[in-house]
C-alpha cells in the first residue's frame, strides 16, 4: 500500500478514507495481520495492524523489506490520448518500469488538458499491484518544440515512427533513453523532421502495421525493457 508520508522503523501510521476501507472492508484484515507499505522514498516496509476501527486502520511499521528500487532510466514521452485509454497508458507505463512520463503536446494532440491527479492515482494503483517501490515521475505536459529544443545531451531519443525505422534492437544502447510516441493522428511532416534533427534521435519501427498510440507505447517500452534489461 502506498502511504504519502515518510516511513521509518517503529512509527505508527493511521490509514483513513478509501485505503482504510480497502484494508478492513475488502481485504478484511484485522489486528495482528501484517501488510507491506511503501512511501516512494525509503523503500518497502512491513507493518502490523494494531487497530481496525470504522473509519481508520492503525498500523505500526516493524521492519524494512526492501530498499527503494532503481528503475531503468527510461522516459516515456507520449502525446496524451483520449480519456479511457490514457488511464491505461499510466497504468502500463508504471507496470512496465518507466522512470518518468513526460506528456508531450504535438500539432495533432486532441487532448488539451490532462488530469494529472487522476493519472497519478492510476500509477499508484499500478505500483501497488506490481510491487514497485518507486513511483514514475509524472510531468506537466510540454510542447514538442520546447522538448526537442532542450533535449538532454546524454539521453537517446527513440522515436517510434510508423513510417519506418530501424528495429528496436538496433536503437537500444546502454545509458539513459526516452521513447517518443505520437498522438492518434501521428506526427506532422514538420514535426518528423524536427525530431530527426535532434542528434540523439533514432527512428524505430514497431512493425508493418499502424498501432494505436497506447499499443505503440506498451510495445515500445516492453521491447526496450527486454533489450536494455531492467
Ligand atoms: N499516422 C498514423 C495513421 O496515419 O493512422 C497514426 C499514428 S499512430 C496511431 C500513433 C503513434 O504510434 C505514432 O505516432 C507512432 O509514434 C506510433 N506507432 C504506431 N504504429 C507504429 C509502427 N508500426 N512503428 C512505429 N511507431 C508506430
Amino acid at each position: 500500500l502506498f502511504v504519502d508520508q515518510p516511513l521509518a522503523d517503529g512509527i505508527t501510521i493511521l490509514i483513513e478514507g478509501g485505503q482504510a476501507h480497502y484494508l478492513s472492508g475488502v481485504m478484511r484484515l484485522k489486528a495482528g495481520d501484517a501488510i507491506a507499505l511503501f512511501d516512494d522514498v525509503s523503500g518497502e516496509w512491513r507493518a502490523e495492524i494494531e487497530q481496525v476501527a470504522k473509519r481508520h486502520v492503525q498500523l505500526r511499521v516493524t521492519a524494512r523489506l526492501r530498499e527503494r528500487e532503481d528503475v531503468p532510466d527510461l522516459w516515456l514521452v507520449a502525446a496524451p490520448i483520449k480519456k479511457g485509454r490514457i488511464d491505461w497508458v499510466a497504468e502500463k507505463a508504471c507496470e512496465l518500469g518507466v522512470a518518468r512520463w513526460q506528456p508531450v503536446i504535438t500539432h495533432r494532440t486532441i487532448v488539451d488538458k490532462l488530469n494529472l491527479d487522476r493519472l497519478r492515482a492510476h500509477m499508484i494503483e499500478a505500483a501497488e499491484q506490481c510491487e514497485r517501490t518507486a513511483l514514475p515521475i509524472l510531468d506537466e505536459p510540454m510542447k514538442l518544440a520546447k522538448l526537442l529544443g532542450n533535449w538532454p545531451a546524454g539521453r537517446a531519443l527513440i522515436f517510434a515512427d510508423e513510417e519506418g525505422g530501424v528495429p528496436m534492437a538496433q536503437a537500444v544502447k546502454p545509458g539513459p533513453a526516452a521513447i517518443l510516441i505520437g498522438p492518434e493522428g501521428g506526427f506532422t511532416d514538420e514535426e518528423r523532421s524536427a525530431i530527426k534533427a535532434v542528434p540523439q534521435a533514432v527512428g524505430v519501427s514497431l512493425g508493418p502495421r499502424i498501432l494505436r498510440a497506447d499499443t505503440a507505447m506498451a510495445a515500445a517500452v516492453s521491447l526496450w525493457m527486454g533489450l536494455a534489461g531492467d
Side-chain angles (χ1 to χ4, degrees):
L1 193 72
F2 173 67
V3 288
D4 205 358
Q5 55 183 292
L7 293 172
D9 208 348
I11 63 168
T12 300
I13 299 269
L14 205 59
I15 302 277
E16 295 173 295
Q19 285 190 321
H21 170 70
Y22 172 72
L23 295 177
S24 57
V26 176
M27 300 284 283
R28 298 213 172 286
L29 295 175
K30 36 191 199 317
D33 289 342
I35 61 167
L37 300 177
F38 76 101
D39 57 5
D40 192 22
V41 173
S42 63
E44 186 184 46
W45 298 77
R46 185 180 182 281
E48 239 169 70
I49 294 182
E50 289 186 318
Q51 189 204 26
V52 178
K54 195 133 177 46
R55 299 214 180 291
H56 74 261
V57 173
Q58 181 174 309
L59 298 138
R60 194 164 49 78
V61 176
T62 56
R64 190 197 310 256
L65 299 172
R66 278 189 296 162
E67 295 291 325
R68 184 178 189 276
E69 70 206 86
D70 288 330
V71 285
D73 192 353
L74 176 69
W75 295 355
L76 171 64
V77 180
I81 52 178
K82 50 184 178 297
K83 189 163 177 275
R85 310 187 79 90
I86 196 161
D87 295 350
W88 187 87
V89 169
E91 212 174 71
K92 301 315 155 198
C94 185
E95 288 175 60
L96 291 169
V98 157
R100 175 188 218 108
W101 176 12
Q102 169 61 68
V104 63
I105 306 301
T106 70
H107 186 69
R108 292 182 185 148
T109 301
I110 48 173
V111 171
D112 49 7
K113 68 183 241 21
L114 271 188
N115 181 332
L116 296 180
D117 290 343
R118 196 189 75 241
L119 293 177
R120 183 169 157 79
H122 279 288
M123 283 184 157
I124 288 171
E125 221 174 288
E128 290 170 338
Q129 177 273 325
C130 71
E131 299 185 359
R132 256 182 88 142
T133 56
L135 290 174
I137 298 164
L138 175 56
D139 291 300
E140 289 288 336
M142 195 185 281
K143 285 212 178 312
L144 180 65
K146 183 158 179 258
L147 209 65
L148 298 179
N150 311 292
W151 192 259
R155 186 172 293 274
L157 175 54
I158 298 174
F159 156 47
D161 188 355
E162 72 277 18
E163 292 192 359
V166 301
M168 184 65 84
Q170 276 176 36
V172 174
K173 303 257 180 305
I179 289 176
L180 172 59
I181 306 278
E184 291 92 336
F187 292 107
T188 63
D189 292 344
E190 295 73 28
E191 286 173 333
R192 196 179 296 280
S193 33
I195 295 166
K196 293 188 169 180
V198 174
Q200 302 88 332
V202 56
V204 298
S205 166
L206 297 174
R209 284 169 291 281
I210 298 282
L211 309 177
R212 279 182 179 276
D214 42 347
T215 315
M217 180 287 292
V221 173
S222 305
L223 275 170
W224 189 91
M225 286 291 171
L227 291 159
D230 66 345

